[in-house]
């Protein structure tokens, strides 16, 4: 059977794939904890939606091997980061409960003994390509937000339509904060997904239907 017509993975297969990805993460990074957040939004002070918008964030807190020191070469974080993208993407998609992933984003926070660049090193194209595969594909670049901050600081992970970044209805974000992370010598790395655009979007711009028609979907 061709990949184009492959049957969807069973729950057992998805669980095995997730375990394999998380094992790969643990081989290359010192993991302290995984975190997850789900939002189910029915309205934004407007009409109640027939179907809610669901947003989800998956995150992992890892030790920063470069905390407290300068290093020119950050490949120790970048080279194995496909494992992070796969594991976080699978976790985030699973949090949507089987719903379609329409939007995605990525980001993270470096603890105060680290640098913003340490987070960026974890979420480059290596991470992004794996994230796309894990959530069912995507052709648009992945919006990103990174910073250095104290434990408990909120991060607004940007979201955009996964196949065309100029779809205005899907310009959005989801906020996540972990009370005890990142500690000074840690990194919090996140992936975010959503089932659609803003509930009451009505300011025009390219629509999902137009983007799909243009792409021949």
């Amino acid at each position: 059977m061709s990949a184009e017509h492959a049957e969807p993975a069973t729950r057992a297969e998805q669980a095995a794939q997730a375990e394999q990805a998380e094992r790969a993460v643990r081989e290359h990074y010192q993991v302290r904890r995984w975190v997850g957040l789900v939002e189910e939004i029915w309205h934004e002070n407007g009409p109640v939606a027939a179907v809610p918008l669901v947003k989800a964030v998956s995150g992992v807190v890892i030790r920063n091997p470069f905390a407290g020191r300068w290093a020119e070469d950050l490949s120790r974080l970048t080279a194995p980061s496909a494992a992070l993208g796969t594991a976080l993407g699978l976790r985030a998609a699973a949090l949507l409960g089987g719903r379609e992933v329409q939007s995605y984003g990525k980001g993270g926070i470096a603890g105060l003994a680290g640098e913003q660049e340490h987070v960026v090193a974890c979420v480059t194209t290596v991470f992004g390509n794996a994230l796309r595969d894990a959530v069912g594909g995507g052709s648009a670049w992945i919006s990103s937000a990174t910073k250095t901050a104290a434990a408990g600081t909120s991060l607004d992970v940007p979201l955009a339509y996964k196949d065309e970044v100029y779809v205005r209805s899907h310009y959005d974000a989801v906020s996540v904060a972990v009370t005890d992370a990142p500690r000074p010598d840690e990194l919090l790395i996140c992936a975010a997904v959503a089932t659609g655009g803003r509930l009451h979007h009505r300011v025009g711009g390219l629509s999902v239907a137009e983007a799909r028609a243009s792409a021949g979907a």
Side-chain angles (χ1 to χ4, degrees):
M1 181 177 293
S2 68
E4 182 180 356
H5 298 94
E7 293 294 327
T10 65
R11 287 189 177 182
E13 290 170 337
Q14 291 172 341
Q17 185 181 10
E19 175 55 32
Q20 182 179 10
E22 292 175 20
R23 188 182 306 116
V25 170
R26 295 192 299 270
E27 288 175 359
H28 298 285
Y29 304 94
Q30 186 175 323
V31 174
R32 181 165 71 86
R33 64 186 296 190
W34 298 86
V35 297
L37 166 75
V38 180
E39 295 183 358
E40 184 177 296
I41 306 166
W42 286 89
H43 73 89
E44 285 285 345
N45 294 325
V48 176
V51 177
L53 168 63
V54 182
K55 305 179 188 180
V57 182
S58 61
V60 64
V61 180
I62 59 175
R63 179 181 172 275
N64 182 359
F66 300 110
R69 65 185 181 91
W70 168 263
E72 184 68 33
D73 182 3
L74 301 180
S75 59
R76 181 176 173 184
L77 292 172
T78 304
S81 62
L84 289 172
T86 298
L88 291 173
L90 290 172
R91 278 175 168 258
L95 290 172
L96 296 185
R99 300 174 179 88
E100 177 192 7
V101 174
Q102 286 200 12
S103 299
Y104 52 29
K106 61 183 180 177
I109 303 175
L112 295 178
E115 302 174 45
Q116 181 182 12
E117 200 71 2
H118 298 158
V119 180
V120 175
C122 293
V123 295
T124 66
T125 304
V126 178
F127 174 99
N129 288 341
L131 173 60
R132 285 188 186 90
D133 291 342
V135 302
S139 54
W141 59 275
I142 305 173
S143 300
S144 179
T146 60
K147 62 184 179 181
T148 302
T153 299
S154 179
L155 176 70
D156 291 336
V157 185
L159 291 164
Y161 182 55
K162 69 184 184 65
D163 291 315
E164 172 52 77
V165 74
Y166 294 112
V167 172
R168 188 177 298 165
S169 60
H170 286 51
Y171 293 166
D172 205 349
V174 57
S175 300
V176 61
V178 182
T179 54
D180 72 338
R183 295 171 182 172
D185 64 344
E186 292 180 333
L187 303 171
L188 170 64
I189 308 299
C190 298
V193 293
T195 59
R198 302 179 312 279
L199 281 187
H200 305 314
H201 61 83
R202 56 191 187 280
V203 292
L206 184 68
S207 70
V208 169
E210 290 168 339
R212 287 177 172 173
S214 177

